[in-house]
Amino acid sequence: MKSYFFQSLFIVLALAFITPVQAHVYTADVAESFQMPPRWEKLGQRRVNYGLDRDEILVTSREGTFTSIRLKAELAPINVHRCVVHFANGSTESFRFAGGELRAGQVTRNLDFPGNRRVITKVVFWYDTKNRARRRGRVELWGRR
């Protein structure tokens, strides 16, 4: 009984004398020198049909500028053939996929844009599906800042 009392007393006293660690103070200088790593953001999605088809995903300028994109297959396999990215300044970038078969949950390689970050207006892609389970798949468009 005495040992529990003395152990409890020792722990309480030890905690009372431990000085709290001062939290890091946020300053503007630290924020300017620190940059967050690029993150992927979902820009849109489309339900895909069976057979050969073409779809487009519209992206608004409020979503900002991006350095690269990638497509992700969901719910069913998709065979992506080609992708054309349209930018706000009127230029386009075209990407071809050799063996672009994506199983559900897989993503394409990163499609990097040359030069600076750009505002995307729309992404047009051509694909086909040979889904034996007869489930309609979904294509998601992801962008990296």
Side-chain angles (χ1 to χ4, degrees):
M1 183 75 157
K2 285 184 178 182
S3 65
Y4 290 119
F5 175 75
F6 286 118
Q7 287 176 355
S8 300
L9 182 63
F10 177 73
I11 290 172
V12 169
L13 289 174
L15 291 175
F17 289 110
I18 295 176
T19 58
V21 177
Q22 186 176 8
H24 177 70
V25 178
Y26 179 81
T27 62
D29 296 336
V30 173
E32 290 173 2
S33 65
F34 178 75
Q35 290 189 4
M36 294 293 291
R39 66 179 197 270
W40 289 97
E41 297 179 20
K42 186 174 177 182
L43 301 178
Q45 65 184 21
R46 284 287 181 262
R47 294 294 298 239
V48 297
N49 297 321
Y50 301 111
L52 184 63
D53 201 2
R54 170 197 177 276
D55 270 323
E56 61 184 52
I57 297 176
L58 298 177
V59 181
T60 61
S61 62
R62 71 177 168 83
E63 314 234 16
T65 58
F66 296 93
T67 58
S68 63
I69 62 166
R70 64 182 175 191
L71 300 172
K72 180 178 182 183
E74 286 291 330
L75 306 175
I78 299 166
N79 188 19
V80 181
H81 298 283
R82 185 174 157 215
C83 174
V84 177
V85 181
H86 296 262
F87 298 103
N89 64 1
S91 65
T92 61
E93 240 353 275
S94 182
F95 300 96
R96 291 203 172 273
F97 298 93
E101 176 75 30
L102 296 177
R103 288 177 279 163
Q106 284 188 323
V107 295
T108 61
R109 62 180 160 71
N110 295 345
L111 308 175
D112 297 323
F113 308 138
N116 293 331
R117 298 177 179 189
R118 301 198 209 169
V119 175
I120 301 170
T121 56
K122 71 178 175 179
V123 177
V124 182
F125 54 96
W126 288 261
Y127 63 91
D128 71 81
T129 58
K130 296 179 178 85
N131 189 358
R132 298 182 198 276
R134 304 303 287 173
R135 288 184 300 179
R136 287 186 67 190
R138 182 175 67 222
V139 173
E140 296 177 349
L141 174 66
W142 291 81
R144 182 170 62 182
R145 297 197 181 272

